[in-house]
Amino acid sequence: MAFAPKPGCPMCGIVSAASAAATSPASPSRSPSAPEILWRDDNFTVYRETANPVSSKGHIIVVFNLHVPSLYTLSSSDLPLLVSLRDISHRILTSLQTPSSPLASPVSAQPQHLLGATPNLRSTRETFRVGFITPPFKDTKIPVTDHLHAHAYVLPADRMGWWRRVAYSPIAWYDVDDLIAEIREESTNNRVRSSVNPRPIDFVPDAGARRGTADGVETTDASLLVADPERGEISPNLLPPTPGSSRARQQSGPTSDASIPHLQV
């Protein structure tokens, strides 16, 4: 599924500028009006909200590199992508609390050794908020509604006015943990709603990412995730196809170990 950049989209402009800065030789100092890019990989570009943060301790925007128009475009195959978004947000917000942390440095100096660290989900859920503002609501200070992006900030939200607070209230806010849990509940038929106390399934990024029917036919949609094998990530699109699925029919001559055997009852 292709989501090409949209001319005139502010978020597409930020993604494009971050990509150019990461691939070009050393350039002059950043313009005062340009966003401060904290992170960029194949899936996300993260910048610090400095003009109108909702928290004095840190507010970041996690922008999808693709021009994904809506939260409802995501499917079960994007669960690893959402888990990655949550974990990156937690690590960057943690680094903002420690000025000497390497993650607070420019995008070109991202420390790879921190990527494999497992965050303490209980402590981060009590300290940070990561989620999406769902239409028709929007952040009046960042009024982009057609390019998917998440907000992540450190509690308390001490710079949020009363009108802006509506967008971050339960009426409009979709916490990323609740979204992950809801998708997993729908795809696995297990009630795995999130809570302050993490469950074992919270530590399995691709849990619930594949879907199928009772007779073994896979119905998994294509994922937006660009997997990084060096970090041990595997896109659902790269997993062995289930016999009878559309992906299985597209592959000629599947080997015996590249399919899920049917049990004879």
Side-chain angles (χ1 to χ4, degrees):
M1 187 179 297
F3 295 96
K6 179 181 178 181
C9 173
M11 294 301 182
C12 287
I14 291 173
V15 170
S16 177
S19 176
T23 56
S24 63
S27 57
S29 58
R30 178 175 62 91
S31 167
S33 60
E36 180 184 355
I37 305 298
L38 301 177
W39 181 271
R40 187 187 185 282
D41 58 24
D42 290 334
N43 298 298
F44 306 110
T45 296
V46 184
Y47 71 92
R48 188 203 302 255
E49 175 56 36
T50 56
N52 297 284
V54 299
S55 169
S56 60
K57 295 184 177 180
H59 179 189
I60 61 176
I61 311 298
V62 185
V63 184
F64 281 65
N65 289 343
L66 298 176
H67 186 84
V68 180
S70 169
L71 177 68
Y72 304 105
T73 306
L74 304 178
S75 66
S76 62
S77 61
D78 296 310
L79 281 169
L81 188 68
L82 291 171
V83 172
S84 177
L85 182 153
R86 179 194 65 192
D87 292 347
I88 289 173
S89 299
H90 287 171
R91 294 184 182 112
I92 293 178
L93 290 176
T94 299
S95 75
L96 294 180
Q97 309 311 298
T98 310
S100 61
S101 170
L103 260 182
S105 58
V107 62
S108 59
Q110 293 169 6
Q112 297 301 312
H113 67 279
L114 287 180
L115 294 179
T118 301
N120 185 324
L121 291 181
R122 178 183 175 87
S123 62
T124 52
R125 287 174 180 173
E126 295 174 339
T127 307
F128 307 141
R129 288 195 75 196
V130 183
F132 303 89
I133 297 174
T134 58
F137 300 96
K138 60 185 177 182
D139 185 334
T140 55
K141 301 298 184 180
I142 311 173
V144 178
T145 58
D146 64 344
H147 187 137
L148 189 59
H149 59 281
H151 293 261
Y153 59 93
V154 183
L155 294 171
D158 54 349
R159 293 187 176 179
M160 189 186 302
W162 70 270
W163 179 246
R164 200 178 182 193
R165 191 177 297 274
V166 173
Y168 292 85
S169 70
I171 194 174
W173 181 261
Y174 209 151
D175 191 275
V176 68
D177 281 314
D178 287 333
L179 177 59
I180 291 170
E182 182 168 320
I183 294 176
R184 283 176 174 163
E185 181 177 323
E186 190 269 339
S187 62
T188 64
N189 200 29
N190 291 320
R191 296 196 173 277
V192 288
R193 287 289 184 179
S194 61
S195 63
V196 174
N197 296 311
R199 304 184 185 192
I201 197 171
D202 291 326
F203 299 96
V204 184
D206 58 346
R210 300 183 74 182
R211 304 177 63 177
T213 61
D215 58 356
V217 177
E218 182 167 1
T219 59
T220 305
D221 297 321
S223 173
L224 301 176
L225 174 70
V226 178
D228 184 355
E230 293 184 359
R231 290 170 53 186
E233 296 175 346
I234 300 178
S235 170
N237 297 336
L238 301 179
L239 294 172
T242 302
S245 67
S246 58
R247 283 202 299 130
R249 290 191 292 270
Q250 293 172 358
Q251 298 181 5
S252 59
T255 59
S256 59
D257 59 349
S259 61
I260 301 175
H262 288 271
L263 297 179
Q264 298 296 329
V265 180

